Amino acid sequence: MTSDELKGTVSTILGQQHSAQLYLVLKVNDELVLRLADIEDESTAPEIQRMFEEFLENTIVANEDMIVRNLSVADESPNAVYEYDYDSYPEELNLFKQFNIEEAVNIDHFNFNTDDLNHLFGYIVYIGSMESGIVLFKKHYPISLIKRESFLLGAIRSSERFEKLPGEDIIRLNNDAQLLRVGDTIFVLNLKMLERNMGFSALIQQAATETVSAIEELDILDDIEVLRDTLEVPSFARKLSKVKKASPIFKLGISKEAIVEFTKNTPELAGKFKYSEDGTQIRLSTQKSKIAFLKLMNDAFLHSELTQQWYDASAKDNITQGAG
């Protein structure tokens, strides 16, 4: 889905008759369960709806700089929204993925006699109608300081209802979210939350491991264990996880010999790599060489015919001032 298509879909839903519903996601015995939050209707429910309408307007509809990228191949960048394109889903993401408003309206209300706010894992906010809508996920974090501008839902223990009032049990709710779903398509608005709280790091590790195996088969490194050791570093594993799926080198079947010769015969790459004694394999001896190798495998070195300079294709960082 393009950014214009996403903006159009969200704008259409917000422009039609719609309402907002808040659900609490509880984590009980390592299992996520959903509870409907019974919201006081006259003032509280409209305020929640307004908050998340504004969030969608500012983050999606009116965001002129927004770009949509595939999660499996894109690096983290400002104003990017990531379309989830992996074939598998972490268990923590399944409840959000499977959320259905027709079923959700009939689930149990949150009840202080049987439920516990200490188990609160996050929120699902649904904005739309019974026919179509937008599903948002917002992670809950333990908060010790409540600011005045926050929106407060006070719990009345004698009932199942939440009202906008001060109280002993308080949920601090502000207008942001980290995941968005329209139809069956999930968009990630915050990569760090996905990796740290939704079990996504396991998928990254799996994809990174597959990349290392593919590089091992290519036999281009004199010591594959040096690369395998980087799987323990989250930031490096994230970059490594994208190589096998995104790299033109694997897609086009570029040979080991061609890659090694490219590193040797391109002046702008001189000194970035060391080689095995017979010169047929690359030796990764420093962190800089590991990073350069990932860029090499992603075919990320661009040569400008206009300026005769070389660039990092992902960020246009100037690699050298010399001519190629």
Side-chain angles (χ1 to χ4, degrees):
M1 185 179 292
T2 67
S3 58
D4 286 341
E5 289 171 338
L6 177 57
K7 288 181 180 183
T9 300
V10 172
S11 181
T12 297
I13 292 173
L14 293 180
Q16 297 172 345
Q17 186 70 28
H18 65 275
S19 60
Q21 183 63 65
L22 177 68
Y23 296 85
L24 307 185
V25 181
L26 308 178
K27 193 166 190 177
V28 182
N29 297 325
D30 293 327
E31 181 180 354
L32 296 181
V33 296
L34 200 63
R35 293 288 183 265
L36 175 62
D38 187 2
I39 305 296
E40 182 269 321
D41 292 331
E42 292 186 4
S43 60
T44 309
E47 185 68 9
I48 291 176
Q49 179 172 323
R50 181 194 62 79
M51 284 197 327
F52 287 99
E53 286 173 345
E54 289 183 357
F55 170 76
L56 290 167
E57 284 284 350
N58 295 333
T59 305
I60 305 297
V61 178
N63 186 354
E64 296 181 355
D65 298 323
M66 184 190 75
I67 54 176
V68 174
R69 293 182 172 176
N70 286 341
L71 179 62
S72 65
V73 298
D75 288 327
E76 188 170 0
S77 60
N79 294 306
V81 172
Y82 303 92
E83 183 173 340
Y84 194 101
D85 60 335
Y86 285 85
D87 295 329
S88 56
Y89 296 81
E91 184 177 345
E92 291 86 346
L93 203 56
N94 276 331
L95 188 145
F96 177 72
K97 176 180 179 290
Q98 297 170 2
F99 179 89
N100 182 300
I101 187 59
E102 293 183 359
E103 297 175 357
V105 293
N106 296 316
I107 68 169
D108 294 338
H109 289 198
F110 183 94
N111 189 316
F112 279 92
N113 294 323
T114 55
D115 300 312
D116 189 345
L117 280 181
N118 289 324
H119 294 153
L120 186 57
F121 178 80
Y123 315 88
I124 285 180
V125 180
Y126 181 82
I127 297 180
S129 63
M130 295 301 291
E131 288 72 34
S132 63
I134 301 161
V135 188
L136 297 172
F137 176 83
K138 176 180 176 62
K139 180 70 178 71
H140 171 76
Y141 301 98
I143 300 296
S144 58
L145 176 64
I146 299 177
K147 298 180 180 180
R148 292 183 59 186
E149 63 268 20
S150 298
F151 191 87
L152 306 180
L153 287 178
I156 302 177
R157 287 187 175 275
S158 60
S159 69
E160 298 178 348
R161 182 172 293 270
F162 290 82
E163 292 186 4
K164 187 181 179 182
L165 45 75
E168 182 181 345
D169 294 301
I170 293 174
I171 294 176
R172 177 180 180 267
L173 194 65
N174 54 17
N175 63 337
D176 70 351
Q178 295 86 36
L179 300 174
L180 179 153
R181 203 191 91 203
V182 287
D184 294 326
T185 305
I186 294 175
F187 296 92
V188 180
L189 310 180
N190 187 308
L191 283 177
K192 289 185 174 59
M193 191 286 299
L194 182 71
E195 293 173 3
R196 295 174 181 174
N197 303 109
M198 304 298 284
F200 186 66
S201 58
L203 286 185
I204 290 179
Q205 286 287 325
Q206 179 181 342
T209 300
E210 291 173 358
T211 292
V212 172
S213 296
I215 293 173
E216 185 175 20
E217 289 181 12
L218 194 58
D219 196 32
I220 195 172
L221 296 180
D222 74 332
D223 185 4
I224 193 66
E225 294 304 319
V226 174
L227 194 62
R228 187 171 280 119
D229 289 343
T230 63
L231 294 173
E232 302 301 321
V233 182
S235 60
F236 203 87
R238 186 189 308 119
K239 293 181 174 65
L240 194 59
S241 69
K242 305 175 189 300
V243 173
K244 183 182 177 184
K245 186 170 184 178
S247 175
I249 288 176
F250 286 114
K251 290 180 179 178
L252 299 176
I254 306 299
S255 69
K256 158 192 168 181
E257 291 76 16
I259 299 169
V260 173
E261 284 303 306
F262 176 78
T263 67
K264 291 179 178 179
N265 298 326
T266 304
E268 289 74 11
L269 298 180
K272 291 191 177 294
F273 302 110
K274 294 182 179 180
Y275 301 91
S276 60
E277 292 182 3
D278 61 5
T280 63
Q281 293 176 307
I282 294 173
R283 178 173 295 162
L284 302 181
S285 55
T286 65
Q287 183 67 14
K288 288 184 178 180
S289 68
K290 295 175 187 177
I291 294 173
F293 179 72
L294 282 188
K295 292 179 179 179
L296 172 69
M297 295 304 294
N298 271 317
D299 197 26
F301 294 120
L302 273 182
H303 182 257
S304 169
E305 294 297 329
L306 176 63
T307 65
Q308 296 301 304
Q309 293 178 330
W310 284 77
Y311 296 92
D312 177 344
S314 61
K316 282 293 183 184
D317 294 325
N318 196 331
I319 293 176
T320 180
Q321 298 297 324

